Amino acid sequence: MEIRICEDAGEVAVLAAKAGAQILRDAAETKSRLTLVVPTGASQILMIEQFVQEPGIPWSRIDVFHLDEYAGISADHPASFKRYLLDRFVAKLPELGAFHGITGDAGDLDAEIARLNGILGDRTIDLCFAGIGENGHLAFNDPPADFSITDPYIQVALDTVCRQQQVNEGWFDSLDDVPVAAVTMSVNQIMKSDALIISVPDGRKAKAVRNSIQGEIDPLFPASILRQHENCFLLLDLASSSLLREQSDIDKRS
């Protein structure tokens, strides 16, 4: 894992977008078709705004998946991650090869998960963007996360810390409004990606970052497993890295 500490969330977004664009341009030199996973959430808005403007990305050759979606939420719900990406990402890229969204309000959620798993199948994910939640979750794999399951997408229960984060960020009015389950890309599937870019701005994430980077690699700290990935680029800002700054093994360049 390479860790970079930036001045603020804006710098995190720019560096993540530029690094991701370069990974895709390089992969396109040897592959005719690419697979990309894009993130959602308040911490990723600036990155996506920058990413869609990056030059030279062969969008028509890229198939896009996303990390997670609430169970029971339709794509017209303000908090829907599918809607988030349709508005902020897909709509900006009319030449995009394909977007495989998660239908959270599918009548048969098991069938929806099977559909997604069939599409993703044995594809290699060239690049996966993600963040880290306040409870240390990776996608919607809340603690204790399942590090062993190999299915690409799974259904999970959401813990109270995760659900409260969604309220605090303004996606829902109250905790009771937040779904208690979600469809998420599994930890194993995320870790199979050729490259990972993890953007984690905001002081609210400082404890989760510390636990993920300096604690044990443990399902209680789901994002801790990122340390086992050989091509993971973790971007922090001064706030999210505040509990790490005295560690000599952290790259402090901004």
Side-chain angles (χ1 to χ4, degrees):
M1 173 187 283
E2 178 184 352
I3 300 173
R4 179 72 62 87
I5 297 178
C6 303
E7 187 70 24
D8 54 28
E11 187 178 0
V12 168
V14 170
L15 286 181
K18 290 189 177 301
Q22 189 60 54
I23 288 169
L24 293 176
R25 289 191 293 261
D26 289 346
E29 292 182 0
T30 58
K31 298 181 67 174
S32 61
R33 201 82 188 169
L34 306 177
T35 300
L36 169 68
V37 177
V38 286
T40 54
S43 64
Q44 304 298 322
I45 292 173
L46 291 176
M47 189 283 290
I48 288 176
E49 289 176 352
Q50 177 69 33
F51 186 49
V52 297
Q53 299 178 57
E54 287 297 314
I57 299 175
W59 292 114
S60 64
R61 294 159 51 196
I62 297 177
D63 297 322
V64 174
F65 294 81
H66 62 114
L67 286 167
D68 44 28
E69 179 61 287
Y70 301 103
I73 291 288
S74 67
D76 60 1
H77 191 288
S80 165
F81 289 147
K82 185 176 183 179
R83 172 178 175 171
Y84 173 114
L85 290 174
L86 289 172
D87 291 348
R88 293 182 171 88
F89 186 77
V90 178
K92 309 294 184 183
L93 301 167
E95 69 274 34
L96 187 65
F99 174 66
H100 300 290
I102 303 169
T103 302
D105 63 340
D108 184 339
L109 207 53
D110 288 337
E112 172 64 2
I113 291 171
R115 180 187 72 85
L116 291 164
N117 289 348
I119 296 170
L120 188 53
D122 294 327
R123 296 186 192 208
T124 296
I125 296 174
D126 297 281
L127 170 62
C128 175
F129 286 103
I132 296 175
E134 291 180 35
N135 63 356
H137 71 201
L138 186 60
F140 265 150
N141 296 284
D142 284 343
D146 191 331
F147 285 178
S148 63
I149 193 166
T150 58
D151 294 346
Y153 284 96
I154 57 175
Q155 184 172 347
V156 293
L158 301 179
D159 73 14
T160 302
V161 176
C162 171
R163 294 171 63 230
Q164 186 61 51
Q165 179 182 334
Q166 313 312 311
V167 177
N168 295 345
E169 292 181 353
W171 302 109
F172 296 91
D173 292 333
S174 72
L175 186 63
D176 288 342
D177 295 327
V178 185
V180 297
V183 174
T184 186
M185 186 170 282
S186 67
V187 171
N188 249 312
Q189 184 64 45
I190 293 169
M191 289 293 287
K192 287 168 61 178
S193 304
D194 278 356
L196 295 173
I197 296 179
I198 312 297
S199 302
V200 194
D202 200 318
R204 294 178 297 117
K205 309 290 183 71
K207 184 176 179 180
V209 167
R210 182 194 63 194
N211 290 339
S212 298
I213 300 306
Q214 296 174 343
E216 298 293 327
I217 296 177
D218 191 298
L220 291 175
F221 309 118
S224 64
I225 200 169
L226 294 170
R227 284 148 53 193
Q228 295 182 341
H229 197 284
E230 295 182 354
N231 190 20
C232 178
F233 188 26
L234 174 61
L235 290 160
L236 309 172
D237 65 2
L238 294 177
S240 65
S241 65
S242 60
L243 301 180
L244 297 178
R245 266 187 251 144
E246 295 185 4
Q247 296 297 312
S248 61
D249 60 340
I250 301 299
D251 181 353
K252 297 186 179 181
R253 291 173 295 169
S254 61

